[in-house]
Amino acid sequence: LNPNRTRDNLDILKYSMRSLEKYASWFRNIYILTCRPQIPAWLKDNSKVTVIHHDEIIDNIYLPTFNSFCIISYMAEIQHLSDSFLYIEDDMLFGNVVTPDFFRDKNNQTILYPRFETATQGDSRDNGYLPPWNKAVSYCNYLLDEKYGYSRRRSINRIPLMVEKSAWNEMIAAWKKDFCFTRKSRFRS
């Protein structure tokens, strides 16, 4: 395994959390989801920050896992997580003030920020030359096409995302077999 995939050698998480504190101070709690026994050495006691280890929310049959798709699929299992929560990757930084309405419209719907290009389409899902991320996007588009009809969906920018736990759990229930397959894969490849 590449050690750079399992360590934060640039303290990016620390700077991500600092940017959250400075530019999105309306948050109530931060949950850091990581593999046991990892806890950032610089992390001080803070009532807003809770470290959650994989084995606290992921079924033991799927551990250990190095598959971020598997890990993310369990996010909504974090105890005390708000029904509506902001999902942020550990390497994302805020560079300016954001308020909840940056992530929600006036009807309280999640705002997505699409790119101009279209996402990898569902008919590419068996392309052996696609990197794991693009292959996953392609397979997701295949599943969406099956359920809702064909559509050329646009790629979504990689930014923090407001998530509704109920919608997340509905998605997992709708594609239970596919989530089970993802969870069984210890690596993203």
Side-chain angles (χ1 to χ4, degrees):
L1 290 176
N2 180 343
N4 289 322
R5 299 292 297 161
T6 57
R7 72 173 184 225
D8 184 11
N9 57 357
L10 299 174
D11 285 339
I12 294 173
L13 177 61
K14 175 171 39 175
Y15 296 110
S16 177
M17 290 175 61
R18 285 181 181 173
S19 75
L20 183 65
E21 182 91 47
K22 182 173 183 175
Y23 296 120
S25 59
W26 42 269
F27 71 89
R28 289 192 304 264
N29 298 294
I30 297 175
Y31 296 97
I32 300 173
L33 184 54
T34 187
C35 181
R36 190 176 300 279
Q38 294 176 338
I39 297 177
W42 48 262
L43 185 63
K44 308 289 185 235
D45 281 341
N46 184 325
S47 61
K48 284 186 164 188
V49 180
T50 304
V51 174
I52 305 291
H53 291 111
H54 297 168
D55 59 6
E56 295 178 63
I57 61 169
I58 299 176
D59 293 334
N60 283 332
I61 60 171
Y62 303 130
L63 295 174
T65 186
F66 306 94
N67 179 353
S68 60
F69 299 143
C70 170
I71 297 163
I72 291 166
S73 77
Y74 279 96
M75 278 190 316
E77 302 298 320
I78 294 174
Q79 287 187 22
H80 311 296
L81 185 67
S82 299
D83 290 335
S84 181
F85 63 93
L86 190 61
Y87 168 62
I88 305 172
E89 292 278 344
D90 60 349
D91 61 351
M92 294 180 175
L93 304 169
F94 291 96
N96 207 341
V97 174
V98 293
T99 59
D101 60 354
F102 180 82
F103 305 101
R104 295 270 188 213
D105 66 17
K106 62 183 178 190
N107 298 317
N108 206 31
Q109 297 297 308
T110 298
I111 297 174
L112 300 175
Y113 293 91
R115 296 178 180 173
F116 290 110
E117 70 268 9
T118 58
T120 310
Q121 298 304 302
D123 56 4
S124 299
R125 69 190 180 282
D126 294 323
N127 181 336
Y129 295 105
L130 285 177
W133 176 260
N134 296 70
K135 199 168 195 165
V137 169
S138 177
Y139 192 74
C140 288
N141 275 319
Y142 164 75
L143 294 175
L144 291 169
D145 289 346
E146 274 194 330
K147 188 167 181 83
Y148 301 108
Y150 175 79
S151 178
R152 292 193 50 86
R153 296 172 188 85
R154 290 171 50 193
S155 291
I156 303 297
N157 280 305
R158 188 177 171 272
I159 63 169
L161 179 67
M162 191 67 76
V163 176
E164 294 293 326
K165 272 175 40 174
S166 59
W168 192 263
N169 289 328
E170 285 173 23
M171 176 182 66
I172 290 172
W175 291 288
K176 190 173 185 164
K177 175 182 67 100
D178 302 288
F179 274 93
C180 186
F181 180 80
T182 295
R183 289 172 170 180
K184 287 179 184 176
S185 304
R186 299 219 188 261
F187 299 91
R188 235 178 18 183
S189 55

